[in-house]
Amino acid sequence: MESKLLLPAFYLPPISYFHTIKEHALPLLVEKHENYPKQTYRTRARIATANGVLELFVPVLHGRKEHGPIKDTRINYDHDWQRLHWLSLQAAYRSSAYFEYYEDDFVKFYNQKHNFLLDFNMEQLELFLKCFKLKRTLEFTGSYYTADDVIDLRNSVHPKKGNAWPDQKPYYQVFEEKQGFIPDLSAVDLLFNQGPQSGSYL
């Protein structure tokens, strides 16, 4: 039997990521030695706005180590993306039932600067696990993981592969009347709309 769930650390991960974690009651092994892959949820998140889906991107520094391990990938602060992301989250969810309940937990990600993408994403992962009441032990890989004693989900949840939770049931969303239900958005969408019931929904 597989002993751990092998995952990447994402930025404001999609709901299917946490559905998978809940589905497998296993310790989490986070990959920190993979080469930084472009165009994945490691640096992007999807939220619902009055105008449809908005993608938020965390810029990273590129250079000689562009293809180096994710643990060495640094966040780029040349532009004030933190302010733009937080304004976008406020515009999208200020009227949701639980935004104010969680606001203080999330605003810190946009007021503090993390040097490394992995540290930034890991802090969010720990917060989401707490909010969803998913008690899991967390550890990092010591090198790029190649053993077969894990459930390897490093490439399963990907923006170009569609919804990793195809039978996801609708829940109330702020702009649902205008946009219809949008599946597999960032888990903040579920949290801000469903609050403490989010863990049960997963």
Side-chain angles (χ1 to χ4, degrees):
M1 178 183 173
E2 295 91 346
S3 60
K4 291 173 185 171
L5 202 60
L6 179 59
L7 294 162
F10 288 159
Y11 172 55
L12 300 181
I15 294 166
S16 57
Y17 181 87
F18 292 103
H19 168 67
T20 303
I21 290 174
K22 183 161 187 179
E23 207 173 31
H24 302 281
L26 295 170
L28 304 182
L29 184 61
V30 178
E31 179 60 77
K32 67 185 262 187
H33 292 277
E34 64 180 355
N35 285 340
Y36 167 71
K38 296 179 180 179
Q39 299 182 341
T40 69
Y41 287 123
R42 290 158 185 80
T43 52
R44 72 169 67 183
R46 298 168 68 248
I47 63 172
T49 73
N51 297 314
V53 174
L54 174 67
E55 290 199 335
L56 303 175
F57 297 89
V58 177
V60 296
L61 291 170
H62 296 293
R64 292 179 184 175
K65 292 189 175 180
E66 185 174 343
H67 299 293
I70 191 86
K71 69 181 179 66
D72 295 331
T73 302
R74 290 178 177 269
I75 298 174
N76 188 339
Y77 292 101
D78 287 349
H79 303 288
D80 196 2
W81 62 268
Q82 286 178 295
R83 178 176 171 274
L84 292 174
H85 283 208
W86 185 242
L87 287 173
S88 297
L89 287 165
Q90 285 181 306
Y93 298 111
R94 174 62 72 190
S95 63
S96 65
Y98 294 96
F99 179 82
E100 289 184 4
Y101 184 81
Y102 295 107
E103 183 175 6
D104 290 344
D105 291 324
F106 283 91
V107 71
K108 64 183 181 182
F109 296 115
Y110 304 97
N111 288 334
Q112 301 168 7
K113 285 182 167 61
H114 293 70
N115 288 326
F116 294 96
L117 177 68
L118 185 63
D119 295 338
F120 183 58
N121 289 353
M122 283 302 296
E123 250 189 67
Q124 294 169 43
L125 174 56
E126 289 168 1
L127 174 60
F128 277 114
L129 291 174
K130 181 181 175 184
C131 292
F132 292 143
K133 297 182 174 63
L134 292 171
K135 294 181 180 179
R136 300 288 188 274
T137 57
L138 270 169
E139 62 180 285
F140 288 113
T141 55
S143 59
Y144 184 75
Y145 209 83
T146 55
D148 58 3
D149 61 341
V150 297
I151 298 178
D152 187 351
L153 297 171
R154 285 174 292 191
N155 299 306
S156 298
V157 181
H158 194 286
K160 293 188 176 178
K161 290 186 176 179
N163 188 357
W165 185 10
D167 55 350
Q168 181 186 353
K169 292 182 173 64
Y171 58 87
Y172 173 78
Q173 294 175 329
V174 175
F175 302 107
E176 185 176 351
E177 198 170 299
K178 184 178 180 182
Q179 307 288 348
F181 177 74
I182 304 172
D184 210 23
L185 294 168
S186 164
V188 293
D189 188 86
L190 176 62
L191 202 57
F192 293 155
N193 284 306
Q194 297 296 303
Q197 305 306 314
S198 299
S200 300
Y201 171 85
L202 292 171

